[in-house]
Amino acid sequence: MFAESANEESLRQDFESLTVSKRLVRSVSQKLRKKNHRAEGDEEDKVIGVSLKCLPLYGRGGGCKVGADTGEEFGDPSCRRSSTGEEGKAYKSICGIEDNNFDCFSYGMKEKFWKKSNRKDLDLEESVRNSRMHIFLPDDILEMCLVRLPLTSLMNARLVCKKWRHLTTTPRFLQMRQEGSCQRPWLFLFGAVKDGYCSGEIHALDVSQDQWHRIGADILRGRFMFSVAGMQDDVYIVGGCSSLSSFGRVDRSSFKTHKGVLVFSPLTKSWRKASSMRYARSMPILGVSEVCSDFSIIQSHQNRHDRQFPRSRVGGVSDVYEDPHRLSLRRQYRNAFDVNEPSSLPSRKSYKFIRQRSEQANTKGCKRFVLIAVGGLGSWDEPLNSGEIYDSVSNKWTEIQKLPVDFGVVCAGVVCNGMFYVCSENDKLAGYDIERGFWIGIQTSTFPPHVHEYYPKLVSCNGRLFLLSVSWCEGDGQIGRRNKAVRKLWELDMMYLTWTEVSVHPDAPMDWNPVFVADRNSIFGVEMFKIFGQVLDFFTVCDVSNTEMSWSHISRNHMAHELDASSCMTKTMAVLHL
């Protein structure tokens, strides 16, 4: 009892000896009142694990730099700098007792430190959360999400980061997208002419969203009168012309005919060059067919009279006139189309496909396509009756058997059931057997009538062969009513070889050079013409799976108003499922 009373007496003396100014007491009271309203501020920081009542010093020597003078002013001997021996220990309050009635911070410092440290911690947590999302999300799950995006959204997703861009351009991802069910038809329109120049722009239409997109293609600037064909996810640009006197303009007074082939991939927005054709062609008739991976093109011995001499032109001068002793070549050039009469076709097959085991392991199980180019105009603007076939695996072109001379100029062609069908301006139909490698004349019933200025167009949908032609309608038998031209859709019966009218196009045939392409059960058409000083465009579609086979408009006057009238003749179109 005596010891306890002595201790209390000593404590009382110590407190009595502590003299504090009224100003300091008032300041401490205000801080205590504010402290009671901020209960959360008195708790320890759970993120860092350090008490906010005292700012510890994690450097050499430890101690509380901010509150050291304050603690000495209050006469608290417990608030002193820690020795260097405490440097390696855990984070603890240097001021000893944490339940003091005042903070060792000066007024306002605690709030600033709390806000600053909290902001850094929140940014750190957010960055860690985002990094964990990218690190721990498996690539196969990410691929399953990205492969289901529409093409426009997929292009935007590639801008997120390098990883997403690389992941969406790998062969595995592209193959998954081909085999998936998220693909939609896209129409790619080439051959746009602005202010007399070939702009090289590609106009792409997302049919499902009815949205137009413009794609820059400087590599096509200055080239016109080429043909395009869709092969899987790529578009092949074959042949064409370019002006020699004024580059970029549509000028056929002095031009060069190309035999080069370009390949455009919309999924990766990349261009590459394929093997060039053997002969230069403009506006060739193209056909694409899928073949088995174990097929190979083998060239047989060709009849000498079946060969076509190459014709080149450098600076507008022929090789024939450079060497006057080559008169025989000039004669053969003049009579090049007279050597193949219908009855004198070579008996042996010029080129054929044979089945053999593929020696390349990387082509096993992959889809293989061939591209056939027939007809068109040569280097001297002469019509060609020769043809070539391109193998997508070997990346090589090979000549095929020529068409008979009396067949006429080829104006349209399409592949249907392994046969490349072509029709001529003379209303004749022939088919090239891709597997056997020779032409077959097809005698059908009365060929669908058509106006001479409008050449027929061939399309194929799911093994069905269709023909579009423009003919005169007799005004429904009404007296005094003028006849009108209509575009009709005909279908060929493969068994009986008869043509049957199945549909009538709703628009008047104002375009002499319309383009029709088919994809699965749909036939897409584009017509462009100039009227009242303005170029108009109409895009239509026909669903052949429907018994009515009615046509409907999918786009009107969205992109042709800024083009020249020459675009009506230079335009060409391809359809892809992307």
Side-chain angles (χ1 to χ4, degrees):
M1 296 294 293
F2 180 76
E4 293 178 1
S5 61
N7 292 333
E8 292 176 0
E9 184 65 17
S10 63
L11 280 172
R12 186 180 62 78
Q13 291 177 2
D14 292 336
F15 279 103
E16 287 178 356
S17 63
L18 183 63
T19 59
V20 182
S21 64
K22 294 182 180 180
R23 181 179 179 183
L24 187 58
V25 171
R26 189 182 307 110
S27 175
V28 172
S29 322
Q30 292 176 358
K31 293 190 349 181
L32 290 175
R33 283 195 296 269
K34 292 181 179 180
K35 179 180 177 180
N36 293 333
H37 292 287
R38 294 190 303 269
E40 296 181 357
D42 296 334
E43 298 179 357
E44 293 184 354
D45 192 345
K46 296 181 180 179
V47 178
I48 305 180
V50 183
S51 175
L52 293 179
K53 292 184 178 180
C54 177
L55 177 63
L57 184 65
Y58 305 124
R60 187 177 299 279
C64 181
K65 286 187 175 181
V66 179
D69 297 336
T70 309
E72 291 176 357
E73 184 182 357
F74 282 113
D76 189 357
S78 61
C79 187
R80 294 290 185 270
R81 295 181 183 270
S82 64
S83 61
T84 57
E86 302 293 333
E87 181 179 6
K89 296 184 180 181
Y91 302 146
K92 295 182 180 180
S93 178
I94 304 300
C95 293
I97 305 173
E98 293 186 0
D99 295 334
N100 296 332
N101 293 328
F102 54 87
D103 293 335
C104 58
F105 283 101
S106 59
Y107 181 72
M109 288 300 299
K110 174 182 172 181
E111 290 81 356
K112 294 180 181 179
F113 175 76
W114 186 85
K115 292 179 181 179
K116 185 176 180 180
S117 61
N118 248 13
R119 184 172 62 253
K120 291 181 179 180
D121 297 335
L122 291 176
D123 295 341
L124 180 61
E125 286 182 356
E126 185 177 358
S127 62
V128 170
R129 190 182 305 112
N130 293 336
S131 63
R132 285 178 178 175
M133 180 183 301
H134 291 291
I135 293 175
F136 296 104
L137 186 62
D139 289 348
D140 53 353
I141 302 295
L142 188 58
E143 282 182 341
M144 293 175 62
C145 298
L146 295 175
V147 79
R148 287 169 170 79
L149 292 177
L151 181 59
T152 307
S153 302
L154 180 62
M155 294 301 177
N156 296 331
R158 288 176 178 169
L159 303 177
V160 174
C161 61
K162 292 182 179 179
K163 180 179 179 180
W164 284 23
R165 180 176 180 84
H166 171 72
L167 194 63
T168 54
T169 54
T170 58
R172 165 187 165 85
F173 181 86
L174 298 179
Q175 184 178 0
M176 290 173 57
R177 191 168 180 87
Q178 290 178 4
E179 298 174 352
S181 59
C182 303
Q183 296 180 332
R184 297 294 182 268
W186 280 70
L187 299 179
F188 295 89
L189 187 68
F190 296 80
V193 179
K194 290 183 180 180
D195 301 327
Y197 289 87
C198 303
S199 62
E201 292 182 346
I202 305 173
H203 298 268
L205 173 63
D206 184 358
V207 179
S208 60
Q209 300 293 331
D210 193 16
Q211 293 181 354
W212 280 97
H213 304 270
R214 186 176 300 177
I215 304 173
D218 293 338
I219 195 173
L220 293 178
R221 191 182 301 274
R223 183 176 290 195
F224 58 94
M225 307 299 286
F226 52 83
S227 300
V228 298
M231 186 184 300
Q232 277 192 313
D233 294 336
D234 300 331
V235 180
Y236 282 71
I237 297 93
V238 182
C241 302
S242 60
S243 176
L244 293 176
S245 57
S246 56
F247 178 76
R249 298 190 67 90
V250 183
D251 183 14
R252 293 186 64 86
S253 60
S254 175
F255 62 93
K256 174 186 177 182
T257 306
H258 298 278
K259 58 181 179 180
V261 179
L262 300 174
V263 184
F264 172 61
S265 178
L267 287 179
T268 58
K269 287 187 177 180
S270 60
W271 291 85
R272 63 182 175 89
K273 289 185 178 181
S275 178
S276 300
M277 294 183 295
R278 293 180 175 268
Y279 302 107
R281 302 172 186 270
S282 63
M283 301 177 62
I285 306 302
L286 304 181
V288 177
S289 177
E290 181 180 356
V291 295
C292 298
S293 59
D294 56 351
F295 274 92
S296 177
I297 304 177
I298 301 298
Q299 179 177 354
S300 301
H301 296 286
Q302 188 180 13
N303 193 327
R304 184 176 182 87
H305 297 286
D306 203 26
R307 296 181 183 268
Q308 182 128 2
F309 290 92
R311 294 169 297 278
S312 61
R313 186 179 66 178
V314 181
V317 180
S318 172
D319 294 339
V320 176
Y321 296 98
E322 291 178 358
D323 186 3
H325 297 286
R326 300 175 64 185
L327 181 61
S328 59
L329 177 61
R330 187 168 54 191
R331 291 177 177 175
Q332 292 176 4
Y333 169 74
R334 184 178 66 248
N335 300 325
F337 302 113
D338 299 334
V339 295
N340 282 336
E341 296 299 332
S343 59
S344 62
L345 286 175
S347 58
R348 68 172 61 185
K349 305 170 187 178
S350 299
Y351 302 95
K352 61 181 179 180
F353 287 97
I354 63 171
R355 293 183 177 270
Q356 64 179 10
R357 186 178 300 274
S358 178
E359 297 178 357
Q360 301 177 357
N362 56 353
T363 61
K364 186 176 181 180
C366 299
K367 290 185 178 181
R368 188 174 186 177
F369 291 85
V370 292
L371 174 64
I372 306 176
V374 175
L377 301 178
S379 299
W380 295 93
D381 218 16
E382 76 280 5
L384 302 177
N385 64 343
S386 61
E388 306 176 43
I389 186 169
Y390 170 79
D391 186 6
S392 62
V393 175
S394 62
N395 191 27
K396 292 182 180 180
W397 287 88
T398 308
E399 294 182 64
I400 63 175
Q401 183 186 13
K402 294 180 182 179
L403 284 164
V405 176
D406 64 342
F407 183 77
V409 179
V410 181
C411 61
V414 70
V415 174
C416 181
N417 297 327
M419 185 80 69
F420 181 42
Y421 293 91
V422 294
C423 64
S424 67
E425 300 176 358
N426 300 336
D427 298 342
K428 293 185 178 182
L429 185 67
Y432 180 77
D433 194 323
I434 298 177
E435 182 178 356
R436 300 179 181 179
F438 57 83
W439 289 99
I440 301 174
I442 302 175
Q443 299 293 333
T444 63
S445 61
T446 304
F447 199 84
H450 67 92
V451 182
H452 179 68
E453 292 82 3
Y454 294 85
Y455 297 137
K457 304 292 181 180
L458 290 175
V459 291
S460 174
C461 289
N462 287 342
R464 302 167 64 183
L465 184 63
F466 296 93
L467 183 141
L468 291 106
S469 64
V470 175
S471 58
W472 291 104
C473 182
E474 297 180 356
D476 298 333
Q478 298 182 9
I479 300 177
R481 185 171 181 178
R482 297 180 58 185
N483 297 342
K484 62 178 182 179
V486 294
R487 179 172 281 113
K488 298 181 179 181
L489 181 66
W490 304 77
E491 182 179 2
L492 178 64
D493 189 336
M494 296 295 185
M495 181 175 296
Y496 300 102
L497 297 179
T498 56
W499 291 100
T500 305
E501 179 184 340
V502 293
S503 179
V504 178
H505 199 278
D507 296 334
M510 301 291 292
D511 188 359
W512 288 15
N513 184 40
V515 181
F516 292 93
V517 293
D519 179 72
R520 300 182 183 180
N521 289 322
S522 301
I523 300 176
F524 298 96
V526 55
E527 297 182 71
M528 294 173 55
F529 54 90
K530 185 176 181 180
I531 185 172
F532 302 122
Q534 187 178 5
V535 180
L536 305 180
D537 63 277
F538 294 90
F539 286 79
T540 54
V541 61
C542 177
D543 186 4
V544 298
S545 62
N546 190 357
T547 55
E548 298 179 357
M549 293 191 184
S550 58
W551 293 81
S552 60
H553 291 86
I554 55 177
S555 178
R556 291 187 182 184
N557 303 328
H558 281 275
M559 41 74 61
H561 61 278
E562 55 186 21
L563 302 181
D564 293 353
S566 56
S567 301
C568 303
M569 296 302 299
T570 60
K571 70 178 180 300
T572 181
M573 187 174 61
V575 57
L576 296 178
H577 249 75
L578 303 173

